[in-house]
Every structure is written in C-alpha cells, then in structure tokens.
Amino acid sequence: MVSGSRPGIRRARPRDHRGRARGTVTGGHRARRLNESGEPVPRDRHAQLQGRPMGGRRHGKDFERFRWTSGTLSKVLRSPSLIGHRTHGGQTVRHASGTPVLIGEPLLTDDEFEALQDALLARSNGTRSPRRGTTALLTGVAYCSGCDGRMYFAVRKGYPYGDYVCRATARGEVCPAPAAMRSDWLEDHALACYRLVSATDSDVSRERLLGDGVRVTVGKGHPGGGPSRLSGPDTSRLTFTLGARP
C-alpha cells in the first residue's frame, strides 16, 4: 500500500480552478515541493510505521531518507492504494467475489481518485509508451558538475543530434548550475579522451565505458561567446576521469 499523509497526497495532485486534478505543473516541481515539505516517500513512511530508520543505500550511495522523484510520484498518484485497496504489481487485489481487498483508510474518495486518473490520462494525451532501454552512449557516464547528478539525452526535433542535460528537476531537486551540451560534441570528446588513455582504436560501447569507470563531468555554460560557440565544445567545462566507479 502507498503510505502517506492526506495533506501530502493532496499537495501532490495537479488541480484546476474547480479543485480537480490537472497537469499544469511538472511532476518534478511537485516532487521538489514534497521534498521541501519533508513528506516521506512511501518506502520511508513504511519504515517509520515499522519503527525502522528511514533511508538506505541506492545506486551505490547512502541516504538518510529517500527523495521524491517524478517517477515515484507518478506511481503513487496512479495506485489504487490511495482509495484503500490492497495492490500487487500496481493492480487491485480482489476477493473471490470480485470486491477489492481493503487494507486501510483511503486517502482519497472514489470520486477524487477517478478525477485524478482522468486528469493524468489527459495529461499524457495518449503519448505514454513502454519504457525502452537507453541507447545514448553517455547515460551513466555524463554527470552535471552543479549537482553531481546524471545527465540524460534529450532529442532535438529536426536535428541529427540532441543534448545531454541535467535532470535535477525530475529528481525533485534544484541544481544551482544545471549543465547541458550537444550530444555529438560530448560523445566525441569522451571517446577521444578514452581512446587516448586506454590506447585503443577499436569501437567503444556504453557498456565498456561503464565497465572501465569512465566519468565525464560537465560544467554549466556561459551566455554569449560569438560564432566560436558553434565550432565545438568548450573543453574547459569538461572533466574526464577513468576508474571513477566505486
């Protein structure tokens, strides 16, 4: 079951002028608000109820408490546990008679939950698709120097290249200096550095870069700069390290 306070869940819901759910603010911003308010994520709330300390280890790092992300928030807002149902794999568990198995006081009424699902569906507008594994070369390799978070590939519509960008807002955080860089520039730089230090001319895959602990840290760019900005990356913003994985 999703554990959480009624005020916390209500703060997380998108709303319109009638008080109904609506997607006018990004999930990342709502996640940040929950983090700032101290609202525990379901995993930490469950630990509290069991008398255990919050937080733990994730992605090789120790956390005193886990943080809300847009992904965590999306799962919570779509879970029937908000109306008191026992769930398994995100679906309601039912008795042999077909009625839902109830495990606690609902955080939302049936009407509120139905309105919320309608709004979330309208927000996605049928564009949601099954998540696929990334093909971006530097996912898990490129990091933002402003927040030390991973950078992710973003498509540029109509261009053969994209950008690697800081995604702190998707983690419910605020980056003091969010970085971004053209994907082809950053990938070419990373491969050139890797081939130089590893003395190889063979093809290099993402798995190989990850296995060798390659990390490329990107600093925030500066406005202006003239035509020279279009000739290639500002390498003073880039730091390449090998064997940086724990």
Side-chain angles (χ1 to χ4, degrees):
M1 178 181 179
V2 173
S3 301
S5 69
R6 186 183 297 269
I9 294 300
R10 292 188 182 279
R11 281 197 300 272
R13 291 187 304 161
R15 294 175 173 275
D16 65 14
H17 66 283
R18 297 177 183 175
R20 295 180 303 188
R22 176 182 167 191
T24 57
V25 180
T26 67
H29 283 89
R30 288 196 175 83
R32 189 179 75 194
R33 290 177 185 174
L34 289 171
N35 288 325
E36 291 173 347
S37 71
E39 184 73 27
V41 301
R43 182 173 175 178
D44 280 342
R45 179 58 178 157
H46 183 70
Q48 285 181 324
L49 295 174
Q50 297 296 318
R52 296 184 285 104
M54 295 189 296
R57 193 166 183 82
R58 186 179 184 187
H59 299 316
K61 295 183 178 180
D62 293 317
F63 295 89
E64 291 185 4
R65 59 185 300 164
F66 293 110
R67 298 182 62 83
W68 287 94
T69 67
S70 56
T72 302
L73 183 55
S74 177
K75 286 183 179 181
V76 169
L77 294 180
R78 287 178 166 84
S79 174
S81 60
L82 291 177
I83 49 177
H85 293 189
R86 180 182 294 280
T87 62
H88 179 74
Q91 302 298 316
T92 295
V93 176
R94 298 182 180 276
H95 293 290
S97 62
T99 58
V101 176
L102 303 179
I103 59 173
E105 180 183 356
L107 296 176
L108 300 177
T109 66
D110 288 351
D111 287 344
E112 288 173 332
F113 183 74
E114 183 177 349
L116 175 60
Q117 303 314 301
D118 288 344
L120 292 172
L121 181 60
R123 181 179 177 183
S124 64
N125 197 28
T127 60
R128 295 175 62 89
S129 59
R131 186 173 180 177
R132 294 174 293 180
T134 181
T135 58
L137 179 67
L138 299 184
T139 300
V141 175
Y143 283 77
C144 172
S145 67
C147 60
D148 200 37
R150 287 185 179 186
M151 299 178 70
Y152 291 89
F153 180 83
V155 174
R156 278 200 201 188
K157 189 174 181 179
Y159 287 84
Y161 52 83
D163 298 279
Y164 285 96
V165 298
C166 173
R167 292 291 304 278
T169 56
R171 303 192 302 272
E173 301 174 2
V174 177
C175 177
M181 181 168 284
R182 264 180 56 166
S183 61
D184 54 340
W185 289 354
L186 189 57
E187 289 175 356
D188 287 348
H189 175 81
L191 290 175
C193 290
Y194 179 77
R195 290 192 170 108
L196 179 64
V197 298
S198 62
T200 181
D201 291 323
S202 61
D203 291 340
V204 178
S205 65
R206 174 172 175 263
E207 289 70 24
R208 184 170 177 178
L209 294 176
L210 291 171
D212 285 345
V214 172
R215 175 175 173 136
V216 181
T217 305
V218 185
K220 184 178 180 179
H222 304 286
S228 62
R229 294 188 63 191
L230 302 178
S231 63
D234 176 2
T235 56
S236 67
R237 297 168 49 200
L238 304 176
T239 303
F240 177 92
T241 54
L242 186 67
R245 294 290 183 277

